Amino acid sequence: MESLVLADERQTLIVAEVDRLGTVSTAALIERFGVSPITIRRDLAELAAEARIIKIHGGARSIHTSANPSYAEKFKHQQEQKQAIAQAAAAFITDGTSVGISAGSTSAAFASHIQGLNELTVVTNSMRVADEFKNPSINLLMTGGRRSPADALVGPLAIKSLEDIHVQTLFTSTHAVDLASAFSTPDAEEAALLKHFISSAERVVMGFDHSKWGVTSFMTFAQWNDIDVVITDEKTPETAIYQMKDLVEEVVIAQ
């Protein structure tokens, strides 16, 4: 049986994790702390009763509901899965096409996998993504806007710069995903920008690792019918995979 001291220490770490990431799934906390689902659910119930976190379907959200984790924090998590997802997504891009890439650590990994292609036109709202492109044959365009903690350019200037742009493929990722709320983020400005980015694309490829599944964040930015291809990793529950196959044209499991 876990001691009260260990439980207190674990709950303090859970709060820190939730505050750092904004939203965390129950599955990710189970994996992170190596305890049973019953233990994590009890921890979350107690923390919610003490108003230290907000308990949501499938996980927990920070009491600072607008919290958006920094790029550095996002970069630390699920690196192996993000690289596999990025590599699988790169297979959808060929020379001479136009590509939109939203901000995020998975997006930066994706950019690194396509930077060797030629005659691409790339549109991004991320300085991190832009820094991946050294190939002089690539036509790189960046939106304007305000820099968010997640290193995304957001706000009216960013949205304005996307108004007349059309790309063949958009690669984007998400902070949280579930069946009911679809794809969501803790940042309202990022949500607004992503809605415009998605509307500019002929095809939308959504990449996310298993820790994002079953979680709802502050604001939805895309519905399931906005997405053409989902790429996730092999730790995503099988039931979720089957459900997604009924909602989008293609589901890819990155190895």
Side-chain angles (χ1 to χ4, degrees), residues 129-147:
V129 167
D131 283 344
E132 295 291 338
F133 292 102
K134 312 298 183 185
N135 186 339
S137 78
I138 291 177
N139 181 26
L140 177 65
L141 296 90
M142 291 188 66
T143 69
R146 180 185 65 81
R147 181 180 175 183

Side-chain angles (χ1 to χ4, degrees), residues 52-68:
R52 296 169 68 188
I53 55 109
I54 299 169
K55 195 171 183 297
I56 59 174
H57 177 70
R61 187 171 74 226
S62 171
I63 58 172
H64 314 292
T65 54
S66 63
N68 195 5

Side-chain angles (χ1 to χ4, degrees), residues 11 18 27 48-49 56-58 85 88 92 94 101 120 150 176 186 204 210 216 238 247:
Q11 289 181 3
V18 173
I56 59 174
H57 177 70
I85 290 165
F92 287 87
T94 57
I101 310 175
L120 289 181
V204 179
H210 65 280
T216 304
E238 285 188 20
L247 296 170

Side-chain angles (χ1 to χ4, degrees), residues 13-33:
L13 291 171
I14 287 171
V15 173
E17 188 86 344
V18 173
D19 283 343
R20 184 165 61 249
L21 297 176
T23 308
V24 182
S25 70
T26 302
L29 291 172
I30 292 167
E31 182 179 349
R32 164 72 172 80
F33 294 102

Side-chain angles (χ1 to χ4, degrees), residues 162-184:
L162 292 175
E163 285 183 355
D164 298 319
I165 285 177
H166 306 281
V167 295
Q168 289 164 287
T169 303
L170 170 67
F171 178 81
T172 188
S173 55
T174 185
H175 187 87
V177 54
D178 76 351
L179 289 179
S181 299
F183 304 92
S184 55

Side-chain angles (χ1 to χ4, degrees), residues 5 37 62 73 119 136 145 157-158 172 207-208 217 226:
V5 173
S62 171
E73 290 297 339
E119 306 301 328
L157 286 175
T172 188
F208 60 86
S217 195
D226 294 319

